[in-house]
Structures are given as structure tokens and as C-alpha cells.
Amino acid sequence: MPLYKTINFSRSVGTTTQILVWKVTESYAELLGDVVLNNTNRIRLDGMKSEMHQRAFLSVRKLLQETGHTDLDLYYDEFGKPHLNGEKHISITHSHNFSALIISDETVGIDIELQRDKIIRIADKFCDSEFQFLSPSFGTEKAQEYIRKLTVIWGAKEAIFKIRNEKGISFKDHIKVNAFELEEKQTIAELHFDNLIKDFKIHFEEIEDFTLVYAFEN
């Protein structure tokens, strides 16, 4: 499938941010024939046991090529965080049949998640202060809103973790997402870890049954 969605914007003078989303409908062979891989990532690809993961991996390379880069421009540090050759920041995500990446002059993180009922069962593992503004899940409509909000919170914390990428950060204990409404499509989050306090601007939107969240370090 062609590129599903592109978002371009500037948060301040002199900065640009580009987000690209791909819906994976191609076969493994189709994707493999369209991308260039460096030797390290070719070995990674061959070692993946799931074809879904292989297709997601290759679709990210398709997205890279849409931005004028290739896999040859991408490298990972010792903690597994992706970087682009040059000064721009990059973050990558995929879930089921969607992949996305964000490239920016600013420090950024991105996450995409399928909205699923099971997130209710694990909410207490990644939420704490957020329960103060989350509504109980009574009724079908309220339950769905609860799931959608929990998915935003998880995505925000995942995006922040990708930015900081530090061992020991707890989603529940160290990252707090402020109250928000779904129609606002943005909120603020805070990281309190060791002696560090950081604020993040969170943006989110829904794509089919998925939630796309991206974070900027303020």
C-alpha cells in the first residue's frame, strides 16, 4: 500500500518535524524487493521468526526511503536507540499492520498501539496519578473511552521512554501524564527520575483502531 499518512509541521522557527505512517499490506517479498538494507540489518531481518515482524521491519525502511533516507543512513546505539547520520532525531514504532516514524530537529519519541480491552487489566502496572482523572468503565461507550485514554497514556509513556532510554525508568513510578480529553489531541507529561525532572509535550491521534502518540522533550 502507498504511504498511509504524512504529517509535517514546525513547533518553532527553524525546526521541522515529519511523521509518516505506513499500513502494511504488501507481502514480505514485495517489501524486500523495494528496500536497501545494510549488512547488520539484513542479518537482523533473517533472524526474525515472525513474518509480521519482518514485514514491519521492512515497512519502516520504506518510510525511511519516503523521507529521502535509506537503511544505510540509520544506525542503533548500544542501548538499541535509532539514530540518523546527521543532526536530525528519529524515532520508530510499529504495531500489527501499522508502522510509523518521526524525524525532527527536536528530541522526539513516537509510539503506535492497537486499542485493546486487555489494557484495562494491566492499567495498574503503568498508571498511578492518572487514575485521578480516568473515569470508571461503566457502559459500552464509557468503557471504550477508558480504553482509548489508557492507550494514549501507555503510548505517551512509551514515547518518553524512547527519548530518555535509561535503565530503571518505571512507567508507573516515574512518568506522569496530565489530565486530557480525547478531542484535545494533546497533553503534558512529566518525568521524575533520580535527580532529573523533564517536561514533555504529548500529541496523539487515532488511526482506525490504533492510537498514534508522539512526544517532544521541552
Side-chain angles (χ1 to χ4, degrees):
M1 176 175 175
L3 186 63
Y4 186 86
K5 185 169 190 175
T6 303
I7 306 167
N8 291 288
F9 62 93
S10 175
R11 291 209 314 153
S12 59
V13 176
T15 67
T16 60
T17 297
Q18 185 175 38
I19 300 163
L20 298 96
V21 181
W22 193 276
K23 186 173 183 179
V24 186
T25 59
E26 302 87 347
S27 69
Y28 170 79
E30 287 174 318
L31 288 166
L32 184 61
D34 286 343
V35 301
V36 175
L37 292 176
N38 66 40
N39 291 334
T40 301
N41 283 333
R42 182 62 204 236
I43 293 169
R44 283 183 63 196
L45 177 68
D46 291 341
M48 294 177 183
K49 294 182 172 63
S50 163
E51 185 176 298
M52 178 182 287
H53 289 155
Q54 289 178 319
R55 291 164 67 209
F57 182 88
L58 290 170
S59 69
V60 168
R61 275 68 199 168
K62 289 282 288 184
L63 289 172
L64 264 178
Q65 290 177 183
E66 291 284 340
T67 69
H69 299 85
T70 73
D71 187 60
L72 303 179
D73 301 315
L74 184 69
Y75 67 96
Y76 294 83
D77 64 23
E78 60 184 306
F79 304 107
K81 184 175 181 177
H83 298 270
L84 273 179
N85 288 323
E87 297 183 2
K88 287 189 177 289
H89 300 273
I90 185 171
S91 185
I92 294 168
T93 184
H94 50 77
S95 177
H96 298 269
N97 60 327
F98 275 100
S99 300
L101 61 77
I102 185 169
I103 295 176
S104 179
D105 296 306
E106 302 182 74
T107 306
V108 288
I110 195 168
D111 190 55
I112 191 166
E113 298 288 340
L114 177 64
Q115 299 165 3
R116 294 185 285 186
D117 294 351
K118 80 170 193 177
I119 199 169
I120 295 174
R121 300 195 299 273
I122 63 169
D124 63 347
K125 297 185 184 302
F126 66 91
C127 288
D128 186 17
S129 61
E130 294 83 10
F131 286 122
Q132 296 174 18
F133 67 82
L134 288 169
S135 300
S137 53
F138 297 119
T140 304
E141 188 175 331
K142 277 292 185 183
Q144 189 57 37
E145 179 182 310
Y146 190 54
I147 291 167
R148 291 163 66 198
K149 283 191 171 184
L150 283 173
T151 308
V152 170
I153 292 167
W154 174 268
K157 296 189 178 193
E158 184 70 44
I160 290 169
F161 183 80
K162 287 181 177 181
I163 290 174
R164 300 304 308 183
N165 209 38
E166 294 178 50
K167 186 176 180 180
I169 291 177
S170 162
F171 283 16
K172 179 175 182 174
D173 299 331
H174 300 137
I175 306 175
K176 172 188 174 183
V177 177
N178 290 2
F180 64 89
E181 297 300 332
L182 290 168
E183 58 270 19
E184 294 171 349
K185 297 187 176 182
Q186 61 182 23
T187 186
I188 300 294
E190 301 168 13
L191 171 68
H192 295 251
F193 182 61
D194 288 342
N195 296 319
L196 177 73
I197 299 176
K198 281 281 185 181
D199 292 333
F200 299 84
K201 185 63 178 283
I202 306 298
H203 298 265
F204 58 88
E205 63 178 272
E206 296 175 323
I207 298 173
E208 296 186 9
D209 295 326
F210 291 76
T211 301
L212 177 72
V213 187
Y214 43 102
F216 293 88
E217 183 175 304
N218 289 333

